[in-house]
Amino acid sequence: MKTPLQRAATLVEQQYKRNPEAVQLAKLASLAVRAESHLLRRLRLELLPDADVGIEADLWFGPLVESRGVRAIVLNRYVVELLRDKLAEDREQLQRVIALTEQAHAESASTIRLEERLNALAVLNQPNVQQQIDEALRPALRTMQLGGDDARQLAQWAMRALSQAHRSVRESPNAIALGLSATLVLGGRPIVQEVPKLTGDFSDMTWLLRGAISGSPARIGVELVAGGVAFAEAGGAQPQLDLPATNPLLLSLTWKAADGNTTMLVDATPGRTAELSAGVTEVSLRTLTGDEYRLSAVTTVESPAETTSDDPVPRHFDIDVYISYVRLDNRSRLDQKGWVTTFHEDLRQELSLRMGREVKTWMDQRLQPVDEVFNDVVAQFSNTAVMVSVLSPGYLNSEWCMKELNEFCRVAEQTGGVVVDDRPRVFKVLFEPIDPESMGRMPPGVRNPLGYEFFEFNTLDGRIQRYDPTFGQESKEKFIRKISDLADDIARILPTLSAAPQPETPARKHSRILVSYQREDSAGHAGRLFDKLIEQFGEDRVLMDIDFVESGEDVTKLVEDIIDSCDVLIAVIGKQWRSERLNDPNDRVRLEIARALRRDIPVIPVLVQGASMPWAETLPRDLETLVQRNAIELSDRHWRDDVNRLISAIERILTERKKAVQQGSGVPALDRAIESFEQQLAIAREGGDRRSESIALHELGAAYDQIGESRRAIEFFEQALHINREIGDRSGEGNALRSLGRGYAHLRENRHAIQFFEQAMAIYREIRDPRGESTTLGNMGTAYAELGETRHAIQFFEQALGINREIGYRGGEGIMLRKLGTAYIDLSEAREAIKVFEQALVVDREIDDRRSEGIDLSNMSTALAQIGQHSEAIKYAEQALTILEELEDPRAENVRAQLTALHQQTET
């Protein structure tokens, strides 16, 4: 069988015979990440002046292209590899191609320009190429080191670009460091396929990777054996070591050899052995975080860190695995066992082999669930280690199954947590594809639609093929492989659970600390402080950046969820902290601090760069009480002592809050929030503070609206509205009116909702709040769309679009364009929808919003299918799927289903 590169060579040869000039143009465009029509035209006119203009179309629609869109094409990656080798043969032409590509993409996204620069350096292959590549990657390393949203976007780019880059790029030290940090940020597949043979230690990488290390570490066993260091799964008799969860796991080894010390970078994946010189009896180990250990032949790992002497009391679970399923999915066929029964028996057998004992599993075999025995069933959960949920549409629609799953998660929080050492206690087995939107019925900790898929799509007709031992040998083998994967993962968590101590509070496993800062004001000091807090409190207890999942998401809601889970907020204030950004009610830092102040979460202002506390009158109203908090100054000169004072203050706060939580344990989070707001309301009323009273009423309304009690929420919003009108707070009045509109919209009383949106919009226009006005216009458009008055909805979406363009809110512009396009789809005006979605694509590509770009491409596919252009629709859906899979976005499942339907329509 030919390799992909051999097939590409055959393809190029065939096309060269048919149209040599089109292949020449492809060669000239091979340095570009994507080739737009203007780039192809420029390359043809400058470097192929005698060629016919038609070769641009020949290339655009030819077989050398991997994917094509309205504005650009992407060449086949293996074709590109061959063409670049040809391009390198003519140095003069290569230099001109580099210059023309750079000019054409001068305004493109920075990641596009970086990728094309790396392509050019690799093809030029000058003597100092490694140094040039490292230098080109240095700004990217700085971005990764700072962390945050920019680092996450860069990591997403690195996962794609570096894995496809030229070998000279992949092997550069900075590319290796960038790839490792990307796997830390995203938890993705390995970019570094093979550990390079590098000498030296991690000193050049540690400063970068520490900024990316935020998740739980990977624990492995290490042992010095004859001729090397052996790595094993955690939980064995070997000394245990925690490593940053890079992919692959990396460790630096140093040992004494005849000619001096030798240092080597090795892959520490369990099952591997790093070969050493003969006779080595002691090895120094150094992790990416800079931690150092000594490993000797007597199998001890010595660390400068102190260890605790209090061993946790082992927990005993009577049931290792509980199988949760809907009876519909276990129907027997003729004399065969049901699918779930077969799955259960095979899983128990495989898991017993791995555990070296007979594992205890439980599966309710009653033909129908009986409500009267529900309490008897769930009573076992306190003695159950893990649950395996066999997911299907029937499962998600089953009230019994949802009750069962929610109850297990509730009890799990009191018996070690739903997630233990970054491993879930609920394993999701996908019996068939699941609509990600339907996952909202599941408990928050298990809503991710990813799981163990026991099916695949037929490549010929797109139909679902379930893995089933009764469907033939091939299907049986795939079924067993999936069972084995699942058994491996369960076997890893069971020993951890058996050793887990009873948590001191059932409400939350750990206290959490959020470091809030303005990136342009104090990123360096915040990062330095973040490192010290992690050393003191642990990686899983300190947060620094809130990642906004996608454009269009309710940012306020996202911040509220994260702040509500925290026990302390550290507000880092530098000399530029009080900037114009704080005047924006949607500014991330303002949202974070305001929410913490309203929820009475302790806020500690931390002053850096010699800054002082701002005056209350210079702050937005919702931040005024910040000045009442005791600040701690961190000076560069006395950094260690100042940070120790801060840590002592945090520890005192955590101790006090821990006692408070213990006294109120078992109360659901929203119930506690409502109780807190009611207390704030009582205090405000007792003190005659009408403004605080309106805020507490509004928060109470929002809490009740969140749990679906919109009628009661409306009562609180109405009271808040009355007070805001009484005290003349026009902004508060507008917010209350908009919340009233949203409450009625949630009740599907859209006519009533529109009346409130109209009043809110008038106020936002009066006080010149364009963001509030555009958001409300969007709300009105949605309400009219729900009423079926799509033409009317379009008018409001267009007004909101105009405002967002006027104020330069590009993200909002993309959102409104998508709403407009969807409205045109509803009207079956697909050609208008296509025009709008093309504009949305331009916006989202300019702001480098890959997730929204994927959604736009999916929308384009829908519109094209509506006018019967199924082949083009498939191409757009494939591009959308590539992006959404790369981002691990749950919408990818919807696009797969969209593609299946399109292929079926094409065949008929």
Side-chain angles (χ1 to χ4, degrees), residues 409-594:
C409 290
R410 186 191 70 79
V411 174
E413 286 291 356
Q414 303 173 24
T415 56
V418 176
V419 178
V420 176
D421 285 350
D422 207 31
R423 293 190 175 100
R425 288 176 64 186
V426 176
F427 291 83
K428 300 188 290 293
V429 167
L430 274 62
F431 183 69
E432 55 186 67
I434 299 295
D435 180 359
E437 296 296 329
S438 64
M439 301 290 282
R441 296 193 63 198
M442 299 181 71
V446 294
R447 286 177 185 167
N448 190 311
L450 301 179
Y452 301 82
E453 295 182 352
F454 278 75
F455 64 87
E456 62 185 26
F457 291 97
N458 189 301
T459 56
L460 296 177
D461 57 18
R463 296 182 180 179
I464 299 168
Q465 293 181 332
R466 185 175 300 117
Y467 300 157
D468 191 318
T470 66
F471 288 177
Q473 186 61 30
E474 183 180 358
S475 184
K476 180 179 181 180
E477 290 175 357
K478 292 177 179 178
F479 178 84
I480 294 299
R481 278 200 294 270
K482 281 290 182 180
I483 291 278
S484 297
D485 291 342
L486 176 60
D488 286 340
D489 291 341
I490 295 176
R492 292 189 182 99
I493 194 174
L494 288 180
T496 306
L497 282 168
S498 298
Q502 178 73 22
E504 296 182 5
T505 63
R508 187 165 66 244
K509 190 176 176 186
H510 294 302
S511 303
R512 301 177 78 187
I513 303 160
L514 175 68
V515 179
S516 174
Y517 70 105
Q518 296 277 21
R519 198 168 276 120
E520 64 274 17
D521 170 57
S522 55
H525 286 83
R528 189 179 175 192
L529 174 60
F530 179 68
D531 287 345
K532 296 299 294 182
L533 293 178
I534 280 179
E535 290 178 12
Q536 179 68 25
F537 297 102
E539 296 176 354
D540 58 342
R541 298 179 66 186
V542 187
L543 308 173
M544 189 163 88
D545 282 292
I546 293 178
D547 291 327
F548 298 123
V549 177
E550 61 172 282
S551 297
E553 183 168 351
D554 188 340
V555 174
T556 302
K557 178 65 171 61
L558 178 62
V559 170
E560 287 174 355
D561 289 344
I562 294 178
I563 295 300
D564 291 353
S565 72
C566 291
D567 292 275
V568 184
L569 184 144
I570 308 299
V572 182
I573 300 175
K575 290 185 176 180
Q576 303 300 318
W577 182 81
R578 180 62 187 94
S579 64
E580 286 300 314
R581 288 187 57 175
L582 283 182
N583 294 329
D584 180 359
N586 294 311
D587 174 65
R588 173 178 61 84
V589 169
R590 177 173 170 180
L591 288 170
E592 290 170 357
I593 298 176

Side-chain angles (χ1 to χ4, degrees), residues 857-859 861-862 873 877 893-903:
L857 290 165
S858 176
N859 289 337
S861 174
T862 301
E893 292 292 339
N894 292 339
V895 179
R896 287 193 192 98
Q898 183 180 357
L899 268 171
T900 299
L902 285 169
H903 282 298

